[in-house]
Amino acid sequence: MAIDGPSGAGKSTLARAAGKKLNLLYVDTGAIYRTVALYTLRRGVEGKEAAAMAALLPEIHIAMQYAPGGLQRMLLNGEDVTDLIRTQEVSMAASAVATHPEVRDFLLKMQREMAENHSVIMDGRDIGTVVLPWAAVKIFLTAGSEARARRRWLELQRRGTPQDFTQLLQETIRRDEDDANRAIAPLRPAADAVVLDTTELNFEESLQRIIEIIRERTGL
């Protein structure tokens, strides 16, 4: 199962909840890119420095563990960085990191192996178009930029790391532009994806619609 969409559309929380209900392994590919971005930030490498980025890749070992309830924990060279990768700085860096074909090739095999070895629900930016173009179900989850920025604003408040809403909205719009216009795997719905706009839907309504779409196409 592939769920794509822009930042703040609710992909991660909804895919995780749907996976729990349908007994599917949830894979948050955005967290994988964020983990790479965290490492590059720690090494002082800007996300747009292609050669320097490629040189760092052999130093990076990423692993995933699953806590009770299906929470995906991200390990970077043995360190649990699950909470550290959720800052806005890492979020913006991840968009830059994802523009490099070397990074995408580095992570593609890992993502596909997960899908080959498990029944997964995987979310990201290019799952239905590049990573798993053969996925049985493809959903493109979206919402208006203000709604997504507000969700992110509330999330950061809950985490104890509040940020200015106007700044978050500007960053959301800029990240949308970067994701949609990048040369490698731009953000777009797959030709056979179901587009689901959650701007006016609450969490439970969005989850119910996703489960309905999956069941309609797979019989789960």
Side-chain angles (χ1 to χ4, degrees), residues 145-147 149 164-174:
S145 56
E146 287 198 17
D164 178 70
F165 173 75
T166 301
Q167 179 184 346
L168 285 172
L169 177 58
Q170 292 171 346
E171 290 176 349
T172 297
I173 294 170
R174 184 168 73 250

Side-chain angles (χ1 to χ4, degrees), residues 125-179:
R125 299 289 195 281
D126 62 349
I127 308 305
T129 54
V130 176
V131 180
L132 303 177
W134 56 82
V137 179
K138 300 174 187 176
I139 298 172
F140 190 86
L141 196 65
T142 188
S145 56
E146 287 198 17
R148 289 184 285 118
R150 187 162 300 281
R151 291 169 186 172
R152 180 64 173 159
W153 179 72
L154 291 171
E155 177 189 357
L156 291 171
Q157 283 192 319
R158 288 193 297 268
R159 290 178 179 272
T161 55
Q163 290 198 16
D164 178 70
F165 173 75
T166 301
Q167 179 184 346
L168 285 172
L169 177 58
Q170 292 171 346
E171 290 176 349
T172 297
I173 294 170
R174 184 168 73 250
R175 189 172 185 186
D176 286 351
E177 293 173 349
D178 290 344
D179 287 344

Side-chain angles (χ1 to χ4, degrees), residues 3 13 30 38 79 101 129 135 154 164 175 195 197 204 208 216:
I3 298 185
T13 52
L38 176 63
E79 176 192 357
T129 54
L154 291 171
D164 178 70
R175 189 172 185 186
V195 178
D197 189 323
E204 290 300 330
Q208 183 59 36
E216 286 169 1

Side-chain angles (χ1 to χ4, degrees), residues 170-208:
Q170 292 171 346
E171 290 176 349
T172 297
I173 294 170
R174 184 168 73 250
R175 189 172 185 186
D176 286 351
E177 293 173 349
D178 290 344
D179 287 344
N181 296 313
R182 67 191 183 203
I184 305 297
L187 175 65
R188 59 180 175 80
D192 54 347
V194 177
V195 178
L196 177 59
D197 189 323
T198 67
T199 303
E200 302 298 330
L201 301 180
N202 62 31
F203 178 82
E204 290 300 330
E205 292 168 336
S206 300
L207 177 59
Q208 183 59 36

Side-chain angles (χ1 to χ4, degrees), residues 61-74:
H61 178 71
I62 296 173
M64 290 180 286
Q65 294 180 347
Y66 288 87
L71 178 63
Q72 177 180 296
R73 309 294 302 183
M74 297 303 304

Side-chain angles (χ1 to χ4, degrees), residues 24-101:
L24 300 169
L25 183 68
Y26 166 61
V27 181
D28 176 2
T29 63
I32 301 173
Y33 280 95
R34 286 169 178 267
T35 301
V36 174
L38 176 63
Y39 188 79
T40 64
L41 288 170
R42 286 178 168 181
R43 292 296 305 274
V45 173
E46 292 289 336
K48 295 181 180 179
E49 298 175 9
M53 180 79 60
L56 289 181
L57 294 178
E59 304 174 9
I60 301 174
H61 178 71
I62 296 173
M64 290 180 286
Q65 294 180 347
Y66 288 87
L71 178 63
Q72 177 180 296
R73 309 294 302 183
M74 297 303 304
L75 303 180
L76 171 60
N77 295 338
E79 176 192 357
D80 188 330
V81 295
T82 305
D83 296 327
L84 298 177
I85 62 174
R86 294 300 170 182
T87 67
Q88 192 65 10
E89 180 186 19
V90 172
S91 178
M92 297 304 295
S95 284
V97 163
T99 63
H100 298 294

